[in-house]
Amino acid sequence: MPREGKEVGVTVAKAQGGDAAEPMVRVEKVSKRFDSVLAVAEVDFTLEKGAFLTILGPSGCGKTTLLRMIAGFIEPTAGEIWIHGRPVGDLPPYRRSIGMVFQKLALFPHMTAAQNIAYPLRMRGFPRDEIGERVARYLRLVRLEGLGERRIHELSGGQQQRVAIARALVFEPDLLLLDEPLAALDRKLRQEMQLEFRRIQRELGVTTINVTHDQREALVMSDRIMVMDAGRVQQMAVPETLYHRPENRFVAGFLGLTNFLPGVVAEVGAGRARIRIGERLVEGRMADPGIAAGTAVEAAVRAERLRIFDEEPGAGWETLEAEILEVVFEGERLVYSARAETFGDVVLRFVDADPLRHRTHRPGERVRLGWRSSDLMIFRADPDTTRTAGQPEREDNEP
Amino acid sequence: MKSCRADIGTGGRSDRSFGLRLLDLAESVRAGLFPARFSVWTPYLYLLPATLITGILAIGLAEMAETSLHVLNRATFRPDPAYTLANYAAVLSKPVYLRIMLKTGFAALLVTGFTLLLAFPYAYFLVRTPHARLRRFLLVALFLPFLLGQVIRAYGWLIVLGKQGLLNAALAAIGLGPVSLIYTYGGVVLGLVQYMLPFAVLLLAPALTAIPHEVELASHGLGATPWRTFRHIVLPLARPGLVAAGVVVFTLTVTDFAMPEIMGGGANDFIANAIYDAFFQLSDAGMGAALGIVLTLFASLIVALAFLLVGVATLGHGAQQDAGAGR
């Protein structure tokens, strides 16, 4: 079976060898069904050589299943995966050119750091001299010079991460797969290792797919982010686009601190609409295309886009009166909650990113809140995606 | 606490003081057994029962050593009071005893090898299968013969492998002559392998459980075929379990009595059978004791050697050298 697959792969690779535009990874309509559960549903994407893609989503969204199908540990129910122009459906993991870093690292405890890094080279029959040379080079790359003879349990958590990434890269695979290897680290070390992984990835230019549920990690590390929920791709874009122009309510809620305001469309213009929220009529940008007047929608506005105004701002701004409910001190910023009566008593959260320059408002105070009408994003109110699970952390403050 | 005691002793004055004293006694016993704070020596106290039981065994062993130093006086059929090493000289020089010892040791090696070979895949499958029902079936199948006891199982083998047994009946049906499997060396080994299998699987299973599945996946991902993953990752990491299972199977085999007695038919005796014969057929307690001491020394030596070779530390966690990983 594998032999057959390899032969097919070779001919296809030759046939497409001249095509420089061939992406490093191509995933075509890949699905995975576990008994009655559709874990991954018709996922389609391509990834160009050297790019860093993060698959972002809540736990159980199918992101790890998708990664393991690319690695070859799980067989897709339908669809085809191509790596470097070769269909890999019939190739076992050890015949695919992939380096993988596991969530629990899966280092070999009975070997030293250097022996761990040498392992893939030995398995691939590299000559002895080259093994020694490469192990030394990769120990240097991950900044572990002099620690090669240490056993795994003699290394710190961060050092073990470095061994794992060196081991995954030392044989220069086509593709590096990261299965949430940073999830178990404490916050500070995690942020340090995010930058470190990014540095190594850029230095080698290796095509990388990372899986995480941490939106910060996705934004910090990636060239492109693919948001998944319930086995489906919700949006795939560069981090800035994903953050500023989410295509649906789920993506808008999953990234950042977002206020959702239930409303009904009153008037539709070109790319814009006026919607009724509570007793107010406000203008916003249509993020979901093709919404007709009378449709139930949810308007979303990021917490950092709401500001307090002492005087009425000029054109292009919408304002409303609200009563401060709570102030949370987060060190470098303050997070306020306020109730807006004219919006049907909806609670809005907003951020003061520069508290030293502003007066701190106390609970019970009335303030004038303003935002640009282009910052109000209008989404179709989908009963499936209006669940709170879409918005991790910080959700618990909401009454 | 005080008021509680007073409430209990509700009779006369002497009754009350007696009740109080009883409770004080109970309290001091409780405090002795379950002290609120451990003194440095208290943990050693808990070792005492086990040490006592093992100590009694040691006394027996000393008694046996003493017995082994007296030859049987053939005239009186009582042990000669004079101390001598004649029994040991006989054990080490008589070809019959040497042959028995060699046969026992070789059988133990064969049984250990075959048992580990069969137990490893069984334990691996038991640990790795994702189907809970299959795992339960494998465990029950393992324990069922385990519960029967060695003698009953040995007789079971006689029924299956005997002259008129099931196997020979089946062979006769397809026109093949009867084969004699019982009362042979091979038969004893076969019976022992079957008897030892559950022990080995139960000792291997925890060691294999301790190997994370991700480690094997990582090995595949890094370019190792299933066979090389087994050789370079699973086998070295399973070594503590293999050593434990090997030592237990070897010592149980080398000291076994029932299987060679029943399946061997008198022609394939192990050391234990020779000891039995010396004590109860020849009434030569001195010779029996000498054989017993030799067997004990031999088994201890093997265990010590096994631990020396792979390190006692392997029983703790697998921090040992990996022979296959040298660069």
Side-chain angles (χ1 to χ4, degrees), chain B residues 96-121:
Chain B
V96 56
Y97 289 128
L98 275 179
R99 205 170 55 240
I100 285 176
M101 278 190 282
L102 278 176
K103 269 190 152 180
T104 309
F106 188 60
L109 281 179
L110 282 178
V111 170
T112 308
F114 281 127
T115 305
L116 291 184
L117 214 61
L118 295 176
F120 198 94

Side-chain angles (χ1 to χ4, degrees), chain B residues 97-283:
Chain B
Y97 289 128
L98 275 179
R99 205 170 55 240
I100 285 176
M101 278 190 282
L102 278 176
K103 269 190 152 180
T104 309
F106 188 60
L109 281 179
L110 282 178
V111 170
T112 308
F114 281 127
T115 305
L116 291 184
L117 214 61
L118 295 176
F120 198 94
Y122 198 102
Y124 186 82
F125 204 65
L126 184 76
V127 165
R128 284 282 188 258
T129 179
H131 308 290
R133 207 173 291 170
L134 183 63
R135 182 174 304 119
R136 219 169 305 143
F137 171 78
L138 288 173
L139 268 176
V140 169
L142 190 70
F143 271 106
L144 217 56
F146 200 39
L147 295 173
L148 287 179
Q150 204 188 353
V151 175
I152 293 172
R153 269 197 274 173
Y155 276 112
W157 278 117
L158 291 187
I159 292 165
V160 175
L161 303 177
K163 282 258 153 50
Q164 272 89 43
L166 292 173
L167 183 75
N168 275 327
L171 283 176
I174 55 169
L176 290 171
V179 289
S180 64
L181 284 163
I182 51 162
Y183 305 146
T184 62
Y185 194 60
V188 176
V189 169
L190 178 69
L192 279 168
V193 167
Q194 196 247 8
Y195 175 62
M196 298 299 171
L197 209 54
F199 293 103
V201 171
L202 288 179
L203 283 161
L204 274 171
L208 292 176
T209 312
I211 305 173
H213 190 224
E214 270 199 351
V215 166
E216 285 173 57
L217 292 185
S219 173
H220 287 307
L222 293 168
T225 58
W227 163 248
R228 302 186 85 180
T229 297
F230 172 76
R231 202 175 92 70
H232 293 288
I233 305 300
V234 179
L235 209 53
L237 288 177
R239 191 141 68 177
L242 282 169
V243 170
V247 164
V248 166
V249 170
F250 189 91
T251 43
L252 281 180
T253 304
V254 94
T255 56
D256 197 64
F257 173 79
M259 202 57 78
E261 185 71 15
I262 301 166
M263 288 287 283
N268 297 285
D269 280 357
F270 278 14
I271 300 175
N273 307 87
I275 296 171
Y276 181 89
D277 286 350
F279 270 107
F280 299 106
Q281 308 280 323
L282 311 173
S283 298

Side-chain angles (χ1 to χ4, degrees), chain A residues 28 179 204 209:
Chain A
E28 266 181 16
D179 183 11
L204 299 176
I209 302 179

Side-chain angles (χ1 to χ4, degrees), chain A residues 133-313:
Chain A
E133 184 271 316
R134 278 213 197 192
V135 168
R137 184 147 52 91
Y138 275 80
L139 277 169
R140 210 157 46 236
L141 175 79
V142 298
R143 300 185 175 153
L144 284 179
E145 297 108 314
L147 297 181
E149 297 314 307
R150 292 265 184 99
R151 294 201 166 271
I152 296 310
H153 60 88
E154 294 168 340
L155 297 171
S156 73
Q159 289 168 337
Q160 292 184 2
Q161 296 272 341
R162 289 164 192 271
V163 175
I165 187 142
R167 188 181 68 173
L169 288 171
V170 70
F171 56 102
E172 287 166 8
D174 285 340
L175 187 60
L176 174 66
L177 303 178
L178 307 174
D179 183 11
E180 298 202 58
L182 303 176
L185 299 180
D186 63 73
R187 194 186 156 106
K188 208 161 177 138
L189 186 57
R190 189 165 67 226
Q191 292 180 355
E192 184 191 318
M193 289 309 294
Q194 284 166 5
L195 298 176
E196 190 64 5
F197 272 44
R198 188 73 179 115
R199 172 186 72 81
I200 294 165
Q201 191 268 336
R202 286 226 169 107
E203 218 167 301
L204 299 176
V206 60
T207 315
T208 304
I209 302 179
N210 176 41
V211 153
T212 188
H213 60 266
D214 180 346
Q215 48 155 313
R216 257 195 77 87
E217 179 181 317
L219 293 171
V220 167
M221 294 174 83
S222 326
D223 298 319
R224 284 209 279 164
I225 300 175
M226 183 169 108
V227 178
M228 276 185 83
D229 184 46
R232 291 179 191 282
V233 178
Q234 301 296 321
Q235 187 174 357
M236 180 159 162
V238 300
E240 292 80 1
T241 308
L242 201 75
Y243 190 83
H244 295 304
R245 304 212 156 242
E247 278 173 7
N248 60 41
R249 194 213 172 276
F250 179 83
V251 178
F254 198 75
L255 279 104
L257 188 57
T258 312
N259 295 294
F260 285 103
L261 317 163
V264 177
V265 176
E267 258 178 73
V268 181
R272 308 182 71 77
R274 292 177 81 78
I275 60 170
R276 179 170 298 282
I277 303 172
E279 41 196 82
R280 285 282 302 273
L281 208 56
V282 292
E283 198 176 312
R285 166 164 61 86
M286 290 265 257
D288 261 347
I291 301 178
T295 315
V297 291
E298 280 196 89
V301 60
R302 298 266 191 225
E304 73 272 15
R305 295 290 180 174
L306 289 174
R307 283 172 52 189
I308 294 176
F309 285 95
D310 296 331
E311 287 162 24
E312 199 61 44

Side-chain angles (χ1 to χ4, degrees), chain B residues 257-325:
Chain B
F257 173 79
M259 202 57 78
E261 185 71 15
I262 301 166
M263 288 287 283
N268 297 285
D269 280 357
F270 278 14
I271 300 175
N273 307 87
I275 296 171
Y276 181 89
D277 286 350
F279 270 107
F280 299 106
Q281 308 280 323
L282 311 173
S283 298
D284 191 347
M287 178 57 87
L291 278 168
I293 294 288
V294 169
L295 174 59
T296 308
L297 285 177
F298 178 63
S300 309
L301 201 75
I302 292 293
V303 174
L305 217 68
F307 284 153
L308 214 71
L309 274 176
V310 294
V312 186
T314 51
L315 291 181
H317 65 94
Q320 75 279 41
Q321 284 289 113
D322 171 41

